[in-house]
Amino acid sequence: MANPFDLSGRTAVVTGANTGIGQSVALALAEAGASIVCVGRSSMEETEALVVRAGARFHSITADLGSIAPVKSIVSETISAFGSLDILVNNAGIIRRADAIDFTEEDWDAVIDTNLKTAFFLSQAAGRHMIGKGSGKIINIASLLSFQGGIRIPSYTASKSGLAGITRLLACEWAAKGVNVNAIAPGYFVTNNTAALRDDPDRSAAILARIPAGRWGAPAELGGAAVFLASAASDYVHGTVIPVDGGWLAR
Ligand code: NAP
């Protein structure tokens, strides 16, 4: 029987793939056989070495995803490089921490623009291509804050709750056109994004005590869910947000 998780012949775009979750997802998709296009504002050298070592084709695109200016060229450059765009992973994201009472407009706009607005308009640009060919997979990297309120991160919670909503909306519009739109909600993973939490002994201990698995996640542990949502194995899965959270939401 053919392997339903095989991504040979597919091209995947992963945003924010120089580090953390994006890098791990890019590597997992490469190991499953996809050609990889990494998009971001920092050097992709480390990710390139991992992807090439996995035997996959690699291309990088330098783009600041704090605005939607680059979205159309990301799609056209990907198609010029590898002939198609089959999988889009909207991973790039930022977080700003302050009490809601003091939160600034700048911290609101920066997070919403990167995490939500760019993810939507890059999905729109990729979706035009995917709908045209009748197939495609879009995976949004959501968060536990797609389900919960959190504290001291109002724009992050708004962005990730919005991203879950957009995941469902796009799934409703595009499921019948052959495009699967889904999301992954990581729990607490060891990346730059959570450095401030891990540096705070009280917050760190409180978080750890609530995770049923008894430990923080390693970025490589998200790869399997990404490969599933990128592959034929998930062809009838639409508009879902899959938690990979050590059991946090079950608590
Ligand atoms: P990270 O190490 O901070 O990675 C964030 C990525 O986004 C980096 O590649 C970063 O590039 C990129 N990025 C941010 N702003 C950008 C911009 N304007 N233009 C281009 N690229 C930009 O943290 P991470 O944990 O791997 O985060 C990846 C995703 O997972 C984010 O959407 C985050 O919200 C989500 N997430 C993480 C956790 C967790 O526990 N770590 C939990 C839930 C959700 P630079 O390196 O150049 O800044």
Side-chain angles (χ1 to χ4, degrees):
M1 198 179 108
N3 175 4
F5 299 98
D6 182 20
L7 300 180
S8 303
R10 308 277 166 77
T11 297
V13 169
V14 184
T15 66
N18 55 302
T19 184
I21 289 169
Q23 184 180 71
S24 284
V25 166
L27 179 57
L29 298 178
E31 287 170 340
S35 299
I36 304 298
V37 177
C38 290
V39 180
R41 59 188 176 181
S42 297
S43 166
M44 295 290 170
E45 258 178 58
E46 194 180 294
T47 309
E48 177 173 11
L50 294 167
V51 165
V52 169
R53 199 185 311 150
R57 294 194 296 174
F58 176 90
H59 182 77
S60 71
I61 298 175
T62 302
D64 183 343
L65 300 169
S67 91
I68 67 167
V71 299
K72 285 185 183 152
S73 61
I74 290 167
V75 174
S76 57
E77 192 174 327
T78 298
I79 294 166
S80 306
F82 292 143
S84 185
L85 196 178
D86 307 296
I87 301 155
L88 168 65
V89 183
N90 284 309
N91 166 78
I94 56 172
I95 193 163
R96 300 276 173 89
R97 298 178 196 278
D99 292 341
I101 204 80
D102 298 321
F103 211 75
T104 65
E105 185 177 2
E106 198 278 325
D107 282 346
W108 180 270
D109 288 344
V111 173
I112 297 288
D113 284 353
T114 304
N115 296 11
L116 184 59
K117 185 174 178 181
T118 296
F120 173 76
F121 283 100
L122 185 53
S123 298
Q124 182 190 64
R128 287 191 180 117
H129 169 71
M130 291 173 174
I131 288 166
K133 69 191 181 77
S135 68
K137 303 274 185 178
I138 296 177
I139 303 166
N140 294 320
I141 303 301
S143 166
L144 297 177
L145 287 315
S146 300
F147 303 99
Q148 299 181 312
I151 54 168
R152 308 195 70 248
I153 45 172
S155 57
Y156 188 79
T157 299
S159 73
K160 295 297 185 177
S161 297
L163 196 57
I166 289 301
T167 299
R168 290 186 281 266
L169 173 130
L170 292 177
C172 292
E173 291 200 15
W174 296 350
K177 301 178 192 297
V179 179
N180 298 73
V181 185
N182 290 288
I184 297 170
Y188 286 89
F189 280 72
V190 179
T191 68
N192 299 335
N193 174 289
T194 52
L197 290 181
R198 283 176 288 112
D199 288 347
D200 177 336
D202 294 338
R203 286 295 314 277
S204 177
I207 288 166
L208 192 58
R210 196 194 179 283
I211 302 174
R215 61 179 178 81
W216 288 58
E221 292 178 292
L222 285 164
V227 170
F228 168 63
L229 290 177
S231 71
S234 62
D235 277 353
Y236 199 58
V237 179
H238 292 282
T240 191
V241 184
I242 300 179
V244 180
D245 66 352
W248 176 278
L249 288 175
R251 189 112 183 181

